[in-house]
Amino acid sequence: MDNNLMRPVPERKRGQGVKFVYEILRDDILDLVLPPGSPIDEIQLAERLSMSRTPIREALVKLASEGLVTTLPNRSTMVSNIDFLNLHTFFDALSLMYRVTTRLAAENRTEEDLEIIRNLQIKFTKAVQAQDALTMIATNRDFHAAIAEAGKNPYYTGLFFRLLDEGRRILRIYYSSFDDQLPKRYVAEHDDMIAAIEAHDVASADKLAAQHADQIVIQIQQFMARDRRRPIDL
Amino acid sequence: MDNNLMRPVPERKRGQGVKFVYEILRDDILDLVLPPGSPIDEIQLAERLSMSRTPIREALVKLASEGLVTTLPNRSTMVSNIDFLNLHTFFDALSLMYRVTTRLAAENRTEEDLEIIRNLQIKFTKAVQAQDALTMIATNRDFHAAIAEAGKNPYYTGLFFRLLDEGRRILRIYYSSFDDQLPKRYVAEHDDMIAAIEAHDVASADKLAAQHADQIVIQIQQFMARDRRRPIDL
DNA sequence: TGTATTTTATTTGTCGACAAGAATATTAGA
DNA sequence: TCTAATATTCTTGTCGACAAATAAAATACA
């Protein structure tokens, strides 16, 4: 019940309060420091961050409209649960967004976009070599986010980022250790995707993204099958 | 500058304040009672609705995270502009969501879903017969929203509803009167879509939705070409 | 007259306080 | 001892107030 956010409270300028709380809560939710179902006590938070409840409430409204937090009227707000019963809708949307964003990247990428994507692939490769699973997860996310940005459709990036964040929570719950050969395969697939994007090869980008998405979905499902702690919900 | 919301202020129960302001503002924004770029004065709103600024600010945070409102830090918040320069990203996303939601509806629809969809098609048909353009726009939106609901993927419905709302604003700006033959064609296309959804014919549903979306995009573009008041932005 | 600088006014972001609701504890009655 | 009614505590939703930040107005200067 004591989900402390034990962080030093840095100096804050006026007008940064909401953003500040928002980012702290968001990070803690996505990193499962605040696991699904945790109650969020406004007063406690206010005291810990030494600010009033007003900016905290506004941050909570923002988080609620992104689905990360659920507020019951006149009752406490809590970290949103993951709907394991309907995970297939998540996988479906995730796969589609992988494809669409990668297609668009192949159409619209600039040299600067490519540069960013390549750098993130280097970071990802290093994380794989170091067998650092947490960094792998984070960098893989950033890699695909960068591809989506190169596609330059804010409606797609908006949904895709939300899905990637949700995926981060799910992976945090389920991953124990990666199979040794899988991450290396991801590196190769990423390289292929970069090549297709660079060549403006839309069809190939689409196909590679679809395969890559399938691979990731299968992997998450394997994690879930391996770890049967959570029977149905929550 | 005086975008008054002249409405009677009904009795409100505690805990309904934010919702109340949110819905008023949302409706006024989508109906262009508050046109893009309008400044939103918190104090003025607070007086008019006879409540304090706190619930109003929370409603604005919610609207901001849905993209309907833009808040410049330490400066007034205003109704978001429509990005006419990048409308193609809107059309692209809209078409995709038309297809995806209609496909899923063909897969997952229940009898109850079909019932709702058919009733909305009846409403739409009546609006076409009555040549009531505003009701046509609204009912067409509800029709496709109902199809999306039948698909039962909250990630898709979330994005799709946002796109439909944005389309409502654009149509309100540009439509003058519909061509006589076009709405009738829409009625026929809707009927075909219902048949495909009823028959669980995913491929057909997808194809019909794609055609329908193209048709609608072309129509909006024709409205825009016809009405060249707005040269570049805003 | 036009520009730079100071002063004033307005508006935002945050605060502490308070009352309505809900949750919990307490008492009363069987 | 167990259930029902009541009282108490706690939390949320809303309020009015205040200070920082910005915009507008007024003044000084060239």
Side-chain angles (χ1 to χ4, degrees):
Chain A
M1 177 56 170
D2 194 13
N3 296 311
N4 284 355
L5 326 164
M6 289 304 183
R7 309 195 175 198
V9 179
E11 307 297 309
R12 273 175 296 98
K13 289 161 204 157
R14 177 198 151 87
Q16 302 295 306
V18 177
K19 199 183 161 201
F20 177 70
V21 190
Y22 169 78
E23 285 172 359
I24 284 189
L25 281 176
R26 190 169 177 284
D27 286 344
D28 283 347
I29 291 171
L30 295 180
D31 289 343
L32 298 187
V33 174
L34 295 172
S38 312
I40 296 181
D41 187 328
E42 296 176 5
I43 299 174
Q44 211 176 338
L45 248 180
E47 284 172 2
R48 196 155 296 151
L49 304 180
S50 55
M51 53 169 63
S52 88
R53 280 174 50 228
T54 309
I56 286 169
R57 294 194 102 244
E58 293 185 6
L60 288 177
V61 170
K62 205 174 167 195
L63 288 166
S65 69
E66 293 168 13
L68 289 177
V69 135
T70 308
T71 41
L72 318 180
N74 274 323
R75 199 100 27 82
S76 89
T77 88
M78 55 181 234
V79 178
S80 295
N81 286 322
I82 298 174
D83 186 358
F84 288 99
L85 287 175
N86 295 315
L87 262 195
H88 62 101
T89 66
F90 168 75
F91 291 138
D92 192 32
L94 184 70
S95 298
L96 182 68
M97 285 300 116
Y98 264 108
R99 287 182 55 193
V100 173
T101 54
T102 312
R103 280 184 71 99
L104 280 186
E107 280 181 27
N108 301 327
R109 101 286 187 292
T110 63
E111 279 305 319
E112 291 76 46
D113 295 326
L114 269 178
E115 188 67 19
I116 295 169
I117 295 167
R118 285 208 195 91
N119 283 335
L120 286 167
Q121 167 69 344
I122 291 172
K123 258 181 101 173
F124 180 72
T125 309
K126 281 180 184 161
V128 170
Q129 286 167 348
Q131 302 200 324
D132 178 351
L134 249 25
T135 307
M136 277 177 51
I137 293 175
T139 321
N140 182 63
R141 190 221 104 103
D142 293 342
F143 175 78
H144 290 287
I147 289 177
E149 295 275 19
K152 299 180 185 62
N153 186 317
Y155 299 104
Y156 293 151
T157 53
L159 174 55
F160 192 36
F161 288 179
R162 198 181 148 185
L163 291 164
L164 287 172
D165 286 341
E166 195 67 8
R168 188 168 145 197
R169 284 216 297 173
I170 296 171
L171 277 177
R172 286 251 173 187
I173 291 179
Y174 279 112
Y175 101 96
S176 42
S177 67
F178 285 105
D179 289 336
D180 285 325
Q181 70 282 9
L182 235 91
K184 286 177 190 164
R185 173 165 175 180
Y186 287 156
V187 171
E189 288 184 1
H190 282 186
D191 282 332
D192 293 343
M193 288 170 69
I194 293 175
I197 290 169
E198 181 173 12
H200 291 298
D201 186 340
V202 174
S204 172
D206 185 332
K207 195 174 165 189
L208 289 166
Q211 290 172 354
H212 194 61
D214 287 346
Q215 202 59 43
I216 288 174
V217 167
I218 287 171
Q219 195 195 359
I220 296 177
Q221 286 172 331
Q222 281 177 353
F223 284 151
M224 293 177 62
R226 207 175 291 170
D227 179 341
R228 289 279 67 185
R229 278 172 305 188
R230 293 159 195 278
I232 294 179
D233 202 68
L234 197 205
Chain B
M1 179 52 171
D2 196 12
N3 297 309
N4 284 356
L5 326 164
M6 290 304 184
R7 309 197 175 194
V9 179
E11 308 295 309
R12 275 173 294 99
K13 288 161 204 158
R14 176 197 152 87
Q16 302 294 308
V18 178
K19 199 182 160 201
F20 177 70
V21 192
Y22 170 78
E23 284 172 359
I24 284 189
L25 281 177
R26 191 170 178 284
D27 286 344
D28 283 348
I29 291 171
L30 295 181
D31 290 342
L32 298 187
V33 174
L34 294 172
S38 310
I40 296 179
D41 187 328
E42 294 175 7
I43 298 174
Q44 212 176 335
L45 248 179
E47 285 172 2
R48 196 155 293 149
L49 304 180
S50 55
M51 53 170 60
S52 86
R53 280 172 52 226
T54 310
I56 287 169
R57 295 194 103 245
E58 292 185 6
L60 288 178
V61 169
K62 207 174 165 194
L63 288 166
S65 69
E66 292 169 14
L68 289 176
V69 135
T70 309
T71 40
L72 318 180
N74 276 321
R75 196 103 25 84
S76 90
T77 88
M78 54 180 233
V79 179
S80 295
N81 286 321
I82 299 174
D83 186 358
F84 287 100
L85 287 175
N86 296 315
L87 261 194
H88 63 100
T89 65
F90 168 75
F91 292 138
D92 192 32
L94 185 69
S95 298
L96 181 67
M97 285 300 115
Y98 263 108
R99 288 181 56 192
V100 172
T101 54
T102 312
R103 281 183 71 101
L104 279 186
E107 281 181 27
N108 301 329
R109 102 286 186 290
T110 64
E111 281 304 320
E112 293 76 46
D113 295 326
L114 269 178
E115 188 68 18
I116 295 168
I117 293 168
R118 284 207 194 88
N119 283 335
L120 286 167
Q121 166 71 342
I122 290 172
K123 260 182 100 173
F124 180 71
T125 309
K126 282 180 184 162
V128 169
Q129 286 166 349
Q131 301 200 324
D132 179 351
L134 249 25
T135 308
M136 277 178 51
I137 293 174
T139 322
N140 183 63
R141 190 221 102 103
D142 292 343
F143 175 79
H144 290 288
I147 288 177
E149 295 275 18
K152 299 180 186 62
N153 185 318
Y155 299 105
Y156 293 151
T157 55
L159 174 55
F160 193 36
F161 289 179
R162 198 181 148 186
L163 291 164
L164 288 171
D165 286 340
E166 194 66 8
R168 187 167 145 200
R169 287 215 298 171
I170 295 171
L171 277 176
R172 285 252 174 189
I173 290 179
Y174 279 112
Y175 101 97
S176 42
S177 68
F178 285 105
D179 289 336
D180 285 325
Q181 70 280 9
L182 235 93
K184 285 177 189 164
R185 174 166 175 179
Y186 288 156
V187 172
E189 288 184 3
H190 282 186
D191 282 330
D192 293 343
M193 287 169 70
I194 292 174
I197 290 169
E198 182 173 12
H200 292 298
D201 185 341
V202 175
S204 172
D206 183 294
K207 195 174 164 188
L208 288 166
Q211 289 171 355
H212 195 63
D214 287 346
Q215 203 58 45
I216 288 174
V217 168
I218 287 170
Q219 196 195 358
I220 295 176
Q221 286 173 332
Q222 281 177 352
F223 284 152
M224 293 177 61
R226 207 175 292 170
D227 179 340
R228 288 280 65 186
R229 279 172 306 188
R230 291 160 196 280
I232 295 181
D233 201 66
L234 198 212

